[in-house]
Every structure is written in structure tokens, then in C-alpha cells.
Amino acid sequence: MYRRILAVGLLWSLPISLSAQTHKGSLFTAIAFYNLENFFNPADNPDTDDEDFTTTGSHRYTEEVFRQKTGNMACVLSQLGTDLCPEGASVIGVCEVEDDYVLKSLVSHPLLSGRHYRFIRFDGPDKRGINVALIYRPDAFRMLQARNVPVDLRPAGGGFTRDILWVTGILRGDTVHLLVNHWPSRSGGEAESAPKRALAAAEAKQLIATISSKQPGARIILMGDLNDDPVSPSVAKVLGATSRQDKAGAALLYNPWVSFYENGYGTLCHNDHWNLFDQILLSPAWLSTESGHWQFYKAAVFDKDFLKTRSGRYRGYPHRSYNGNRWINGYSDHFPTIVYITR
């Protein structure tokens, strides 16, 4: 059962821009995802367990730290996709954001304010109060409808985990469905927690099947921190995502990240092992060469040097915000991912 629905009429005051970057005769648009790692409001929310990330909490998450964190996140978002799209990413899925205040602070930062980004977020059931959200440029994406889809983990001994954010809109002329996810963590061990991620994958699969039954050939993008790799059972078996474009027509989703993972690339590192949890998956319609529609071009891990720890035991790892309880003026423990589409 879907909880809340936000609908916007088909009429819109801002025209859809067709000024995506042209490169060698092609038009490109960037779609990105980024785990913002504990992007909290310093004020205490009495309804959630956010006390560690408050001004008096264990992490000493002061207003000054929050401003630095906001600037660091804006720095990253301002660069996503700009190699092919100088105007930046058209849509960016994010997770680990607490509330509207942090998102308003982010999109209004001087590094991003010129893009006039808007965002969509619902309060979810996470005990710490962290949620998923979608940030979008209204000159590139016209939001039609948004709703949060609950993910019930009770069959695996849990409660409700973070909702799936389902946003439908017009992306530069094409109707698209964007599903932003943050699946259950590996807390307690990968194998022990796997049934919970399998349930999240099954919920996403059912949602995709529902969309596809009503709109055959729908352009769907599932993005998120899945807390599993492209070859993990939740992604490859339960969700049924394939890395082979020639097989994608019979599958729900195409996964461009398998080859990255198999070649040692990842978005986060633990005990010197790289995982690729942050994935952007596409329905088969994105592989069509039908004229006049957007199609998949390439995927990329945004792992620029400035996002990496420069020295010491964790050299090359993502330069995260905190070392234990100590603010180290970093970014996130994850690298962002990007998918480019072309027409």
C-alpha cells in the first residue's frame, strides 16, 4: 500500500530545456546517485534517534560542521556529469538525508543555486530519521507524480525499512519512472542480513512489474545504495538484473555495473575490498535505438582524486566525513555513480 502521493498537473510554468550538451552530433543527459553519508540537521528531532548528529551529540555536529558538510556535498554535486553535460546532472538520487532543511541548504548553496534544483522527499520509517530523495533541475525534468512505497521486512524478522521513492515525470521529452532506494545494511553480517535485502529487491521488482503492466516498454530507472554488489543474489537473482544487453529484453533491468565490479572498481571500501553498492539500473527500453527517444550511453563511477583519502592506512578509500567521532572535513564513505543517456 502506497503511503503518500504528491501529484503535479501536466501544465508547467517552466519549459523543458533542450539545451543538453551536444557532443559529436549527440545530445547527452546525466543521471546520478550519491549516498550523502549522515547528512543530518544539527537540531534534534525528538521523534528519531538522531542525537549523535546534533550540536551536543557524540559527533559534535555543530552548525559550523553542518555548513562545511553542506559545502562539501554541493562541491561534489556541482561536478557530477559535467564532462559531457556542463549544466550538470538533470536528476540526482540521494540517500542518508534527514529532512527538507538539509536539502534546502544544499540546493541553495552558491555552487548549485544557479541550477535552480528542486527536490522531492518523504519522511520514512527509519529509526535514525534518514531518508532517500530526488534532486532535479526543473528545466530538464517535469515532475508529474511522487509517492513513497513501504518496504516491509517483517517476514525476515525486521520492521519497515526505508521507503522506495517513486517519481514519475518527463525527462527532456520522455516519460520516465525513477525509483530511489536504500536497502537494508549488512549489519550483523552479509549472509545474516541477506533476507532483508531480498525482500527489498522483491518489493522493487513488484513495483517495476506493476509499472510495466500498465505501461509496456516503460522507461524505468532504479537507483540507490543497495548494500549489495551487482552480482549479489538480491540484485542478480531476486531483482533479475542482467549485465548482457542482448538478454535485457527478457529481463526487468539492465545492470551496467557488473563489469566495473568484476574489474575491481567500487563505490566504497571495507578491509581493502571494494564493493559497488551504489547502482543505477535501467529497464530494457533504455537500450532501444528507436529514433527520437533517449537511450543508454555509458556508466561511470565518480571517483575523482579529491574524494579520496590521500595518505595512511585508508589511502585511496573515499574520504568520509568523520573518523570515529572526529570531523575530518570529508565528503562521504561512498563515491557517486552516473549514467549518461543520449539521443
Side-chain angles (χ1 to χ4, degrees), residues 228-230 257 260-261 265-268 274-279:
D228 264 337
D229 294 308
W257 304 101
F260 284 81
Y261 179 72
Y265 291 92
T267 56
L268 70 159
W274 282 96
N275 292 104
L276 210 164
F277 290 173
D278 306 87
Q279 300 171 54

Side-chain angles (χ1 to χ4, degrees), residues 31-35 93 179-183 186 221-232 234-236 239 241-242 253-258 260-261 266-268 275-282 299-301 334-339:
I31 298 164
F33 178 81
Y34 194 21
N35 181 325
L179 312 179
V180 188
N181 295 250
H182 189 185
W183 291 0
R186 292 186 171 188
I221 291 179
L222 183 150
M223 63 175 78
D225 176 358
L226 307 185
N227 274 302
D228 264 337
D229 294 308
V231 298
S232 297
S234 63
V235 181
L239 195 56
T242 179
L253 295 169
Y254 166 64
N255 191 339
W257 304 101
V258 175
F260 284 81
Y261 179 72
T267 56
L268 70 159
N275 292 104
L276 210 164
F277 290 173
D278 306 87
Q279 300 171 54
I280 305 173
L281 315 181
L282 305 95
V301 176
H334 292 240
F335 292 139
T337 47
I338 309 170
V339 157

Side-chain angles (χ1 to χ4, degrees), residues 57-167:
S58 62
H59 285 64
R60 297 180 178 87
Y61 192 71
T62 63
E63 287 289 343
E64 180 183 359
V65 170
F66 173 71
R67 287 194 297 271
Q68 291 177 340
K69 172 76 172 180
T70 302
N72 292 350
M73 297 296 91
C75 176
V76 180
L77 265 59
S78 70
Q79 298 184 46
L80 295 179
T82 54
D83 52 339
L84 288 181
C85 310
E87 75 278 18
S90 293
V91 294
I92 306 170
V94 296
C95 70
E96 296 201 16
V97 295
E98 184 175 16
D99 56 20
D100 287 357
Y101 175 77
V102 302
L103 289 166
K104 289 177 181 176
S105 300
L106 179 61
V107 300
S108 62
H109 190 277
L111 289 173
L112 296 175
S113 59
R115 297 181 186 172
H116 307 289
Y117 277 125
R118 299 180 182 180
F119 61 85
I120 305 163
R121 185 201 66 86
F122 294 111
D123 285 322
D126 185 87
K127 293 181 180 179
R128 297 175 65 219
I130 57 174
N131 303 285
V132 299
L134 186 76
I135 298 171
Y136 65 96
R137 286 184 29 233
D139 66 329
F141 180 75
R142 178 190 303 169
M143 197 276 287
L144 300 178
Q145 182 171 270
R147 61 185 70 182
N148 56 336
V149 180
V151 179
D152 186 357
L153 303 182
R154 287 176 296 181
F160 282 86
T161 190
R162 293 161 293 256
D163 299 333
I164 300 172
L165 175 60
W166 172 17
V167 181

Side-chain angles (χ1 to χ4, degrees), residues 240-313:
T242 179
S243 63
R244 294 184 55 179
Q245 291 197 20
D246 61 332
K247 299 292 185 180
L252 281 179
L253 295 169
Y254 166 64
N255 191 339
W257 304 101
V258 175
S259 61
F260 284 81
Y261 179 72
E262 291 177 342
N263 284 289
Y265 291 92
T267 56
L268 70 159
C269 198
H270 179 67
N271 291 334
D272 295 335
H273 172 75
W274 282 96
N275 292 104
L276 210 164
F277 290 173
D278 306 87
Q279 300 171 54
I280 305 173
L281 315 181
L282 305 95
S283 63
W286 294 100
L287 304 179
S288 171
T289 58
E290 183 181 355
S291 177
H293 291 282
W294 293 95
Q295 59 186 273
F296 171 73
Y297 177 64
K298 70 173 184 177
V301 176
F302 188 82
D303 57 353
K304 302 296 185 182
D305 285 344
F306 78 93
L307 288 176
K308 299 176 183 178
T309 302
R310 297 183 179 181
S311 61
R313 166 69 178 81

